[in-house]
Amino acid sequence: HFLSVYFFSTRDIMHTSDAYVSLDEDRDRHESSSTWRQVLNISAFTFLLFVTLLLFSPKNNKSSSIKKIPKADGDEIPFEISQKTKNEKGAKQYMNPAVAMNVGLHGQVQRMEHEMGNGKEEEHKLFFHISDTHWDPWFDPQETMGAAICHSCKFNNKVFKKDVYCPSVLPENLHAEYLHGEYAFGRFGCNPPLRLIESLFHGMQKIDAKPKFVVLTGDIAPHGMPDDKGFELTKQTRLSDLCGTKLMVMKEWVRNWHKHFPHTKLIFTLGNNDHFPKNAYWQPFITALGDVFQEEGIFTKEERKMFTEYGSVYYDQDNLRFLAIDFTLFTPGGEVTFVEDDDLKDLEQAAAEEKKYPVRYRVVNWVEQVLADARKHHKSVYLVGHQPMTTKKGKDELDVEGVHYGRFKEILAKYQDIIKVGLFGHRNLAAIQPIMGPLGRPIIPSITVPGVSPRGKNHPSFNIIHHDKKGVIHDFQQWVFNLGEENKKAKEKGHTHMGEWIQHHRDLYSWKAFSGGEPFTAAALMKTLMHTLQNPKQFFAIELWKRAGYIGDETPENYKCKMIYDTNDGMMRCLFRNQDKQCWDPSWLA
């Protein structure tokens, strides 16, 4: 209507101007006026055509629907779910920003588009997120102690009890034949040998030789160490009463790390396997591990003090605060306690938990103090933990009914404005999930990395995370190690082949590929996940991304052996030809 009024009003004005032209004016002036009128008519028509095409042209085949999601502990907020568009050649519009090789992540600030196509740019910094390395110095692909543990059965307490193998020194060139054999970098379903860890460090250094810091969300220790399971602790138990192999392996791990990255701050949180015994916060071991980490240059004196008192540490890097919490404390039975139930029967639940779990109680109070201080000093906070704050295979892994966990969630909700993301590991599966507040609404987005160990039938992987100066995450990219292909290359090229870590090459390889370029917030995460569930193609792509590109729940060895044998005994001999039958675990046949 506006355009019609404009066009016809212009025409009337031109006719009115002609009426004021005196009839006795000379012919030349009349011809000049006619020419002027024609020019205006053409200009008006051109303008009308241009605006009409602009308004009614197709929207690049983009479709959208309005959805609602719960606001972070508040009212519902509307948002638009938009499908990603394609350019004329069908290529993806939102391309993964390549990380230049041999360019320092902390020294070189990447110039990345904040909003795709609008010409605006924002400075983003990057860092590595790794997890679950599980280096096993005794890796042997032809033996198993139990499910997902590929080393000698002699380590098995359940079978050999007091005669269990307890090495006091690390092996030298143990199973050297496998360095050039079929499993140079490891085997699916197993903790890896040193060569995969060396490849990881080499791959990271190709991207950034001197990163300012690296986030490691726990589980540097291998599974299946002696006395790791089944050892009954008492008030009188001393650390020296248990086998010292696990602490020795962890000490060697941090030494190896420091050798490769002497100037890099390691932002570390405890995994459930980094406890000794496994899955249990036992103060004598925590104190000893804190001393080792300080001796090897991982902790400062102040960080060791925090770690010894809380099993948790916070690290400040520029305007970011990394709050690394030991979530094993929040699992049922995760804190070793010798308080008798009779001592708690007359207490309310809150008082009973405080008495039974004193470390967990201290940690919750400490977390609130650390977050209050971060807000006071205008710092953005990254929550760093091992176990994700979500269910595991439909079951609650954390003590969700506990008073301390409920209060912890209340604290997170109180400080959700400064907590930008949660970073986790543990599951051997990639995930992007919201952390829920006490009212069951999403408050903080989280990222879970599959991990370096292929024990979960996943390709080894790590993330590179992009953030702006305010701490907002704008992208994260998955880098993967094709274990099968790299083992083949190692067999052909020998021990000098270090393997190659590459960006995940499927359709969904980064947050930008998921979301279309939005900042990583709780609202954007919910929007993206809802859209993914509505798109079968993207849902399949996310399943590939979860295991870093590995397809299937079985290992290649399982498929091969099932074609040849149909009995447990035959499968055992096929899967692990040097296996001691006393330690055969049928879960390998899944």
Side-chain angles (χ1 to χ4, degrees), residues 227-233 242 246 272-282 285 336:
D227 291 338
D228 217 5
K229 293 179 69 176
F231 194 101
E232 192 170 336
L233 300 172
L242 281 73
K246 186 171 188 175
N272 62 307
N273 285 283
D274 296 325
H275 285 280
F276 189 54
K278 175 184 175 180
N279 298 328
Y281 183 105
W282 185 44
F285 181 73
V336 175

Side-chain angles (χ1 to χ4, degrees), residues 319-344:
N319 67 320
L320 300 180
R321 173 163 291 181
F322 293 85
L323 179 53
I325 298 173
D326 176 21
F327 277 98
T328 298
L329 282 167
F330 292 92
T331 60
E335 180 178 343
V336 175
T337 178
F338 303 108
V339 177
E340 301 293 338
D341 290 340
D342 289 343
D343 298 333
L344 308 173

Side-chain angles (χ1 to χ4, degrees), residues 117-279:
N118 66 1
K120 295 182 180 179
E121 292 183 341
E122 186 171 348
E123 292 183 346
H124 289 180
K125 294 184 178 181
L126 304 92
F127 64 87
F128 293 107
H129 174 199
I130 63 176
S131 193
D132 296 77
T133 54
H134 289 302
W135 165 51
D136 188 347
W138 290 271
F139 168 75
D140 182 350
Q142 300 304 334
E143 292 189 82
T144 177
M145 174 183 150
I149 304 172
C150 298
H151 61 221
S152 173
C153 176
K154 294 185 295 183
F155 286 88
N156 196 323
N157 283 85
K158 186 176 180 181
V159 174
F160 294 98
K161 303 188 184 304
K162 291 184 179 180
D163 295 326
V164 67
Y165 184 43
C166 178
S168 58
V169 294
L170 292 171
E172 294 184 12
N173 298 321
L174 185 66
H175 304 298
E177 65 270 24
Y178 298 122
L179 293 178
H180 315 294
E182 192 175 354
Y183 301 107
F185 292 105
R187 175 176 173 173
F188 288 112
C190 303
N191 287 326
L194 180 62
R195 189 166 178 180
L196 181 63
I197 308 303
E198 295 281 356
S199 174
L200 168 70
F201 294 162
H202 179 72
M204 292 169 63
Q205 286 174 326
K206 286 180 65 177
I207 300 170
D208 187 355
K210 296 180 180 180
K212 187 174 183 180
F213 63 89
V214 170
V215 174
L216 170 55
T217 48
D219 268 9
I220 62 175
H223 297 80
M225 291 290 96
D227 291 338
D228 217 5
K229 293 179 69 176
F231 194 101
E232 192 170 336
L233 300 172
T234 68
K235 287 183 180 180
Q236 289 73 38
T237 303
R238 298 170 299 175
L239 185 59
S240 59
D241 294 334
L242 281 73
C243 178
T245 301
K246 186 171 188 175
L247 184 60
M248 175 182 66
V249 172
M250 296 178 74
K251 183 173 184 177
E252 185 62 24
W253 194 101
V254 295
R255 281 182 175 176
N256 197 28
W257 165 268
H258 206 260
K259 180 178 71 175
H260 287 83
F261 298 100
H263 307 294
T264 298
K265 182 62 182 177
L266 184 64
I267 295 174
F268 174 78
T269 190
L270 282 168
N272 62 307
N273 285 283
D274 296 325
H275 285 280
F276 189 54
K278 175 184 175 180
N279 298 328

Side-chain angles (χ1 to χ4, degrees), residues 302-516:
E302 183 60 31
E303 288 165 352
R304 182 197 60 79
K305 183 179 178 182
M306 279 189 283
F307 183 82
T308 302
E309 188 169 357
Y310 309 110
S312 307
V313 183
Y314 75 81
Y315 311 83
D316 285 341
Q317 293 289 324
D318 300 325
N319 67 320
L320 300 180
R321 173 163 291 181
F322 293 85
L323 179 53
I325 298 173
D326 176 21
F327 277 98
T328 298
L329 282 167
F330 292 92
T331 60
E335 180 178 343
V336 175
T337 178
F338 303 108
V339 177
E340 301 293 338
D341 290 340
D342 289 343
D343 298 333
L344 308 173
K345 61 183 179 180
D346 296 327
L347 299 176
E348 298 290 336
Q349 183 180 358
E353 283 196 25
E354 178 182 343
K355 186 171 184 178
K356 189 171 185 178
Y357 304 117
V359 178
R360 194 166 73 181
Y361 174 75
R362 290 200 307 266
V363 167
V364 172
N365 292 329
W366 173 77
V367 165
E368 187 165 24
Q369 295 170 8
V370 171
L371 289 173
D373 181 72
R375 177 179 283 169
K376 178 181 177 181
H377 292 92
H378 308 290
K379 290 185 177 293
S380 295
V381 177
Y382 288 3
L383 184 66
V384 179
H386 183 63
Q387 297 93 329
M389 295 179 66
T390 56
T391 59
K392 181 179 182 181
K393 296 181 179 179
K395 298 180 180 179
D396 293 318
E397 190 170 11
L398 303 178
D399 186 10
V400 297
E401 300 298 329
V403 172
H404 294 153
Y405 189 70
R407 182 158 173 253
F408 177 71
K409 280 206 165 186
E410 290 176 353
I411 294 170
L412 294 186
K414 180 180 178 180
Y415 291 95
Q416 62 182 284
D417 58 311
I418 63 171
I419 304 175
K420 304 302 181 183
V421 71
L423 302 175
F424 300 107
H426 183 54
R427 301 277 171 83
N428 295 111
L429 293 171
I432 44 175
Q433 295 171 290
I435 296 173
M436 300 297 182
L439 301 181
R441 298 190 178 107
I443 57 174
I444 302 165
S446 75
I447 305 167
T448 302
V449 66
V452 175
S453 171
R455 70 177 300 270
K457 304 183 186 77
N458 56 284
H459 281 303
S461 67
F462 62 81
N463 281 346
I464 292 179
I465 297 179
H466 304 234
H467 65 92
D468 63 24
K469 60 184 178 182
K470 294 181 180 178
V472 176
I473 302 294
H474 286 265
D475 199 14
F476 58 87
Q477 303 150 357
Q478 188 182 82
W479 287 64
V480 301
F481 186 88
N482 190 322
L483 185 61
E485 290 299 316
E486 296 302 333
N487 276 338
K488 290 179 183 177
K489 292 178 183 178
K491 189 174 182 179
E492 296 169 358
K493 299 180 181 181
H495 69 278
T496 58
H497 179 65
M498 294 302 297
E500 184 179 9
W501 294 75
I502 60 174
Q503 286 185 335
H504 181 66
H505 61 284
R506 303 287 183 173
D507 288 342
L508 298 183
Y509 43 74
S510 69
W511 168 246
K512 283 197 171 183
F514 280 111
S515 68

